[in-house]
Amino acid sequence: MIILSCALYSNWLPLLVALTFVMAPLPNAIFSHCGSADDFASSDDAGSAAVDLGRFITSIIVVTGFALPIALAHSEVIQTNAAIMSIFGGGCVYGTILAYSAVFKQDTDEF
């Protein structure tokens, strides 16, 4: 949908949204390995500052992915319809990445 919004309105700036949503899970993936896994901490309560930093950077990139088309449409660089299509397409891209990573997440517990 992002490429369609670029092609229909002959402006390729909404393609930056796809780049931000593709980059969004990278800080989580990188910083999730920095947390120390000990026997006393549960998997739900990760008390590592590095993991929290990764989540914070991911949230900044996701908010940027939704706000960039709105800002471009407000400044009339892209049309409003292209911004709406770009937001929905970016949400689909990020949702697909989240679903893929949730399905193929490896658990360390065997029993």
Side-chain angles (χ1 to χ4, degrees):
M1 231 176 156
I2 296 172
I3 295 175
L4 185 63
S5 72
C6 295
L8 285 178
Y9 299 104
S10 300
N11 191 349
W12 293 94
L13 283 175
L15 199 58
L16 293 173
V17 174
L19 180 67
T20 59
F21 280 115
V22 168
M23 287 178 31
L26 291 179
N28 260 349
I30 292 170
F31 286 110
S32 67
H33 298 292
C34 295
S36 64
D38 56 355
D39 294 334
F40 299 110
S42 67
S43 62
D44 295 334
D45 185 28
S48 175
V51 173
D52 290 340
L53 179 65
R55 290 177 183 162
F56 180 71
I57 294 172
T58 297
S59 65
I60 289 173
I61 295 172
V62 169
V63 168
T64 301
F66 285 115
L68 184 64
I70 295 170
L72 290 174
H74 180 70
S75 62
E76 296 179 356
V77 175
I78 63 173
Q79 293 183 5
T80 306
N81 292 337
I84 292 169
M85 290 175 67
S86 181
I87 288 171
F88 283 128
C92 289
V93 168
Y94 189 64
T96 303
I97 291 170
L98 282 180
Y100 180 80
S101 63
V103 167
F104 292 106
K105 184 178 181 180
Q106 295 178 356
D107 291 332
T108 58
D109 297 328
E110 293 180 10
F111 298 104

